[in-house]
Amino acid sequence: MVCFTISQFFVLLLLLFAMTLHKGICGANTKLSCNGKDRSALLLFKHGVKDGSHKLSSWSNGEDCCAWKGVQCDNMTGRVTRLDLNQQYLEGEINLSLLQIEFLTYLDLSLNGFTGLTLPPILNQSLVTPSNNLSNLVYLDLSFNEDLHLDNLQWLSQLSSLKCLNLSEINLENETNWLQTMAMMHPSLLELRLASCHLVDMSPLVKFVNFTSLVTLDLSGNYFDSELPYWLFNISSDISHIDLSFNNLQGQVPKSLLNLRNLKSLRLVNNELIGPIPAWLGEHEHLQTLALSENLFNGSFPSSLGNLSSLIELAVSSNFLSGNVTSTIGQLFNLRALFIGGSLSGVLSVKHFSKLFNLESLVLNSAFSFDIDPQWIPPFQLHEISLRNTNLGPTFPQWIYTQRTLEVLDTSYSGLSSIDADKFWSFVAKIRVINLSFNAIRADLSNVTLNSENVILACNNFTGSLPRISTNVFFLNLANNSLSGPISPFLCHKLSRENTLGYLDVSYNFFTGVIPNCWENWRGLTFLYIDNNKLGGEIPPSIGLLDEIIEMDFHKNNLSGKFSLDLSNLKSLVFINLGENNFSGVVPKKMPESMQVMILRSNKFSGKPG
Ligand SMILES: *[C@@H]1O[C@H](CO)[C@@H](O)[C@H](O)[C@H]1NC(C)=O
Ligand SMILES: *[C@@H]1O[C@H](CO)[C@@H](O)[C@H](O)[C@H]1NC(C)=O
Ligand SMILES: *[C@@H]1O[C@H](CO)[C@@H](O)[C@H](O)[C@H]1NC(C)=O
Ligand SMILES: *[C@@H]1O[C@H](CO)[C@@H](O)[C@H](O)[C@H]1NC(C)=O
Ligand SMILES: *[C@@H]1O[C@H](CO)[C@@H](O)[C@H](O)[C@H]1NC(C)=O
Ligand SMILES: *[C@@H]1O[C@H](CO)[C@@H](O)[C@H](O)[C@H]1NC(C)=O
Ligand SMILES: *[C@@H]1O[C@H](CO)[C@@H](O)[C@H](O)[C@H]1NC(C)=O
Ligand SMILES: *[C@@H]1O[C@H](CO)[C@@H](O)[C@H](O)[C@H]1NC(C)=O
Ligand SMILES: *[C@@H]1O[C@H](CO)[C@@H](O)[C@H](O)[C@H]1NC(C)=O
Ligand SMILES: *[C@@H]1O[C@H](CO)[C@@H](O)[C@H](O)[C@H]1NC(C)=O
Ligand SMILES: *[C@@H]1O[C@H](CO)[C@@H](O)[C@H](O)[C@H]1NC(C)=O
Ligand SMILES: *[C@@H]1O[C@H](CO)[C@@H](O)[C@H](O)[C@H]1NC(C)=O
């Protein structure tokens, strides 16, 4: 203290006062803040948890439990109200004696590795008496504990305050009464998520389920193989989100769906639904999401969908729809994502896009033609565009150059044969993923620098030598083109030292010269295909440095010499093809345990494979 001047002393006093005040307001004072009963309940819960990553190291007896990781208290009463331990690498047992914490309203243990769950005796009773106020829990999220299986959910019906329940990615295959059990839940339930729970039966025969307040129902990713059950269409007048995607649902979409007047989102992707996409869906004026892709719908694209002015996402691709697409979709000014494909055809004009100011994803994977003025300035700035399988060509359209925020560009299989090289390569350099494969584009790549993370230029008519790549390129497929010359300038270029390339396919071209000894630059490679070229010489020793390689293909070149590489160092190698070359000497014997396929045919090897 002697070292303080008076003014410093006052500052210190003020500071201390401020700190006490702060403690008082925030209730961080130990005596006030942590209720003893709550603390012991938390510690008993911790007892069952395997916490290998020491995420709960702050949970020790002496300390204020309101300051423990994930715990929140009411700042007036000091009682624990929330426990949020999602994604903390926790394993072991969930001891739901936690629910004896009287004022706990929010419990999130999702995205962990729990394998068991025990109930306090009061919840573990065969005789269920719903609607006693055993717990104040409003929100329960145990989702994404994939090794957890629950065989009986009856206890849930006693959590009478519950509004949100998420058990997605938990194994419920042996809770065969799940629907009846859920139906006994207090009708205050607003959100129910049971996605990917291994559920099998949607009880098509149940007539009525009393979820009178339900707003969100997510049953995606299960094994339901019935028709859409009757109860679904009388579930709750408030229901606004239904997701039944990735099941095996059959039959047609019944008109009783119109009962659900407040429906905002309907996802039925990847099922076996048949019949037409009903025109009456156009009467669902509140719909924002309509996702019907990957089903067996046939018939025409209903023009009534152009009336759904609230639509944000419309997905009908991968069905058997035929005919034209109405230009009224161009009026859907809220639309952000449009996915259309299958067997639709016809001509798309500027009118089909006229008011799509908010469009971000445009996926039109069907035999459409385009009647679009080259000077057209689209109303949108897209993040993703896929025109795969369309009749886009022969010239890469000018209007795509107006898109400055593109991350994905897929114009594969679209009849392109010419690009404006001066503009094109600098334009695509800013795009993360480009796929131009299966066209007939003829252009010289010698002076091009590629910069996208994923580049697929396979199956075209590209000429010249290998392009340069920036250090961003991770995936490069140039197979099946007319590229020629040596590959060493590409492989031994000094920029290649900090590259991230993991996948390189230059097969089926006309490369000549040798395979250079520069592989120390490419140690991240996992897949390497240089087969079907005219390369000569030996396999250089630095190939042995590719210690992450999984597949290598050298077949059908003019390679020769004794193959002396010690493959046993390539610990991940699964496949190697040396066939149709001129290798001699004894067959390679040392190989890693991972090896599954080694092809040596049509060479001059002697001896027997090891
Ligand atoms: C205390 O609780 C009130 C009401 O719930 C809240 O608005 C405030 O942010 C809380 N204060 C602290 C420090 O948590
Ligand atoms: C769960 O916690 C209770 C006390 O809250 C305790 O009596 C019981 O033994 C615990 N169960 C397990 C399996 O750890
Ligand atoms: C319920 O109690 C029975 C025995 O009474 C026990 O075998 C079972 O594991 C308990 N179930 C849960 C989920 O705690
Ligand atoms: C439980 O219900 C009783 C009677 O209905 C009521 O007095 C009590 O306050 C409730 N307890 C809680 C924690 O809600
Ligand atoms: C579980 O569902 C709730 C309510 O719908 C949601 O807010 C939460 O994000 C979901 N949990 C996970 C891990 O997705
Ligand atoms: C479900 O029950 C069957 C038959 O008793 C059993 O083989 C299977 O392991 C159980 N599944 C789970 C996730 O407990
Ligand atoms: C559904 O639940 C509500 C609220 O508990 C109740 O009033 C109503 O009678 C129930 N309806 C049926 C048919 O069970
Ligand atoms: C729908 O549910 C209500 C109860 O909420 C019931 O009165 C009505 O009969 C049901 N409608 C049909 C068509 O089953
Ligand atoms: C749709 O498929 C059904 C059953 O395969 C068939 O009967 C019907 O004619 C088809 N409709 C159209 C418009 O192709
Ligand atoms: C589809 O569009 C094409 C070209 O615009 C037109 O010739 C054809 O008649 C249209 N077909 C239908 C069924 O509207
Ligand atoms: C590549 O660039 C060099 C130097 O600028 C030039 O001489 C050559 O003609 C160019 N080749 C092609 C195919 O454009
Ligand atoms: C590639 O271009 C050449 C020259 O125009 C042409 O002869 C050849 O047929 C083209 N190959 C393919 C696959 O388009």
Side-chain angles (χ1 to χ4, degrees):
M1 276 301 173
V2 280
C3 302
F4 283 119
T5 64
I6 299 289
S7 65
Q8 276 173 329
F9 183 67
F10 273 113
V11 170
L12 188 72
L13 267 184
L14 270 174
L15 211 69
L16 281 172
F17 179 67
M19 280 165 69
T20 342
L21 204 68
H22 181 76
K23 268 192 174 179
I25 288 170
C26 300
N29 184 301
T30 313
K31 278 195 193 107
L32 258 182
S33 64
C34 186
N35 177 282
K37 263 175 25 194
D38 295 354
R39 183 173 52 225
S40 0
L42 289 171
L43 286 173
L44 284 165
F45 165 76
K46 186 192 175 187
H47 195 72
V49 175
K50 283 192 205 136
D51 179 22
S53 312
H54 305 290
K55 296 288 184 181
L56 302 186
S57 56
S58 58
W59 287 40
S60 58
N61 204 0
E63 289 174 43
D64 172 12
C65 76
C66 296
W68 291 356
K69 178 168 207 118
V71 179
Q72 258 187 51
C73 296
D74 181 302
N75 59 22
M76 302 305 281
T77 64
R79 298 300 301 263
V80 172
T81 55
R82 289 169 65 105
L83 179 58
D84 181 353
L85 292 172
N86 80 66
Q87 209 167 359
Q88 299 296 324
Y89 307 96
L90 304 176
E91 296 176 356
E93 191 113 285
I94 299 173
N95 189 340
L96 277 186
S97 294
L98 262 185
L99 299 183
Q100 283 161 353
I101 297 179
E102 252 172 287
F103 296 99
L104 190 69
T105 57
Y106 184 100
L107 177 59
D108 183 353
L109 301 174
S110 63
L111 296 155
N112 284 296
F114 287 109
T115 49
L117 179 139
T118 33
L119 295 170
I122 190 160
L123 283 177
N124 188 4
Q125 292 166 347
S126 50
L127 195 77
V128 182
T129 47
S131 300
N132 59 26
N133 61 355
L134 189 86
S135 142
N136 282 313
L137 205 64
V138 171
Y139 183 99
L140 177 61
D141 187 353
L142 303 178
S143 64
F144 294 89
N145 282 285
E146 286 157 35
D147 295 323
L148 186 62
H149 58 91
L150 303 177
D151 297 345
N152 186 335
L153 297 176
Q154 284 195 7
W155 52 278
L156 283 166
S157 61
Q158 299 185 55
L159 307 181
S160 52
S161 305
L162 209 57
K163 288 193 158 55
C164 293
L165 175 64
N166 192 342
L167 302 178
S168 295
E169 299 276 351
I170 289 181
N171 192 333
L172 303 180
E173 70 180 343
N174 288 339
E175 169 46 297
T176 44
N177 275 331
W178 70 274
L179 184 62
Q180 285 77 359
T181 309
M182 290 299 142
M184 281 167 80
M185 305 271 302
H186 204 270
S188 62
L189 198 65
L190 300 180
E191 298 200 16
L192 175 60
R193 294 190 191 272
L194 301 175
S196 303
C197 288
H198 304 254
L199 298 171
V200 176
D201 186 4
M202 251 194 133
S203 302
L205 299 178
V206 170
K207 277 249 141 72
F208 181 68
V209 173
N210 200 1
F211 285 139
T212 45
S213 312
L214 205 64
V215 173
T216 299
L217 177 65
D218 181 357
L219 296 173
S220 60
N222 286 294
Y223 305 119
F224 303 130
D225 60 1
S226 58
E227 301 200 339
L228 289 164
Y230 189 75
W231 57 262
L232 188 66
F233 305 106
N234 197 17
I235 189 169
S236 143
S237 53
D238 292 330
I239 192 105
S240 67
H241 294 78
I242 294 180
D243 190 347
L244 291 169
S245 299
F246 296 94
N247 281 289
N248 304 316
L249 293 165
Q250 295 159 7
Q252 304 205 14
V253 179
K255 197 164 182 186
S256 37
L257 187 72
L258 275 177
N259 294 347
L260 310 178
R261 294 310 312 176
N262 291 309
L263 206 56
K264 289 200 177 108
S265 168
L266 178 65
R267 293 187 175 277
L268 298 171
V269 173
N270 201 304
N271 279 290
E272 292 162 19
L273 298 169
I274 58 168
I277 290 180
W280 47 258
L281 277 172
E283 295 168 40
H284 254 305
E285 52 186 341
H286 301 301
L287 266 186
Q288 295 176 350
T289 299
L290 180 61
L292 305 174
S293 301
E294 297 170 52
N295 277 288
L296 308 173
F297 291 118
N298 65 0
S300 57
F301 180 95
S303 56
S304 61
L305 298 187
N307 303 338
L308 293 170
S309 58
S310 304
L311 269 189
I312 293 172
E313 176 182 342
L314 175 59
V316 297
S317 52
S318 298
N319 279 294
F320 296 96
L321 303 180
S322 52
N324 294 359
V325 170
T326 168
S327 63
T328 55
I329 56 165
Q331 302 299 308
L332 300 176
F333 58 90
N334 286 307
L335 210 57
R336 283 192 218 132
L338 179 60
F339 301 93
I340 296 182
S343 317
L344 290 162
S345 58
V347 178
L348 299 182
S349 67
V350 168
K351 218 176 153 199
H352 286 87
F353 307 105
S354 56
K355 294 206 172 126
L356 304 185
F357 310 112
N358 294 302
L359 200 64
E360 292 169 358
S361 293
L362 176 62
V363 176
L364 300 172
N365 297 338
S366 190
F368 295 115
S369 303
F370 297 85
D371 173 21
I372 287 179
D373 186 309
Q375 302 310 313
W376 181 52
I377 312 274
F380 45 68
Q381 283 294 334
L382 302 173
H383 297 317
E384 175 188 13
I385 182 166
S386 174
L387 303 173
R388 188 187 181 95
N389 285 326
T390 61
N391 301 312
L392 186 66
T395 308
F396 187 81
Q398 289 293 318
W399 65 265
I400 296 183
Y401 292 118
T402 64
Q403 301 300 297
R404 295 181 307 270
T405 51
L406 270 188
E407 289 173 35
V408 179
L409 170 69
D410 182 350
T411 54
S412 57
Y413 297 93
S414 61
L416 293 171
S417 55
S418 85
I419 52 173
D420 177 352
D422 290 341
K423 261 181 164 174
F424 185 80
W425 297 111
S426 59
F427 174 69
V428 297
K430 298 183 201 105
I431 303 174
R432 200 165 49 75
V433 176
I434 58 171
N435 185 354
L436 303 176
S437 60
F438 294 93
N439 284 295
I441 305 172
R442 187 163 180 87
D444 191 311
L445 294 186
S446 308
N447 284 348
V448 168
T449 300
L450 300 170
N451 182 51
S452 311
E453 233 171 85
N454 288 16
V455 185
I456 309 176
L457 305 179
C459 301
N460 277 285
N461 209 344
F462 288 112
T463 59
S465 57
L466 279 171
R468 277 186 290 275
I469 62 172
S470 80
T471 55
N472 291 333
V473 179
F474 168 74
F475 186 106
L476 178 57
N477 188 345
L478 294 165
N480 271 289
N481 279 292
S482 306
L483 298 165
S484 58
I487 59 176
S488 25
F490 174 88
L491 289 168
C492 304
H493 187 253
K494 69 180 186 316
L495 241 188
S496 56
R497 282 180 217 289
E498 318 97 52
N499 72 79
T500 48
L501 198 68
Y503 183 107
L504 178 63
D505 188 347
V506 299
S507 62
Y508 292 90
N509 279 288
F510 303 106
F511 293 116
T512 50
V514 298
I515 299 177
N517 193 24
C518 296
W519 296 93
E520 72 275 10
N521 298 337
W522 305 96
R523 299 182 77 153
L525 276 177
T526 48
F527 295 89
L528 173 64
Y529 305 98
I530 51 185
D531 53 286
N532 285 283
N533 280 293
K534 299 176 186 316
L535 296 162
E538 304 196 6
I539 297 280
S542 60
I543 287 271
L545 299 172
L546 301 178
D547 44 19
E548 291 177 24
I549 199 86
I550 296 172
E551 292 193 10
M552 282 200 273
D553 196 340
F554 301 98
H555 88 275
K556 223 168 179 193
N557 277 291
N558 298 319
L559 300 169
S560 58
K562 296 194 169 90
F563 186 87
S564 53
L565 206 62
D566 182 356
L567 295 173
S568 62
N569 293 329
L570 306 178
K571 299 281 184 229
S572 310
L573 190 63
V574 169
F575 174 96
I576 184 168
N577 190 347
L578 302 171
E580 294 167 84
N581 281 295
N582 278 311
F583 291 114
S584 55
V586 287
V587 300
K589 286 220 164 69
K590 288 187 182 171
M591 50 185 86
E593 275 177 28
S594 52
M595 185 78 91
Q596 286 174 13
V597 179
M598 178 179 224
I599 300 174
L600 305 173
R601 66 186 199 89
S602 295
N603 278 290
K604 294 174 185 150
F605 284 120
S606 56
K608 279 185 194 151

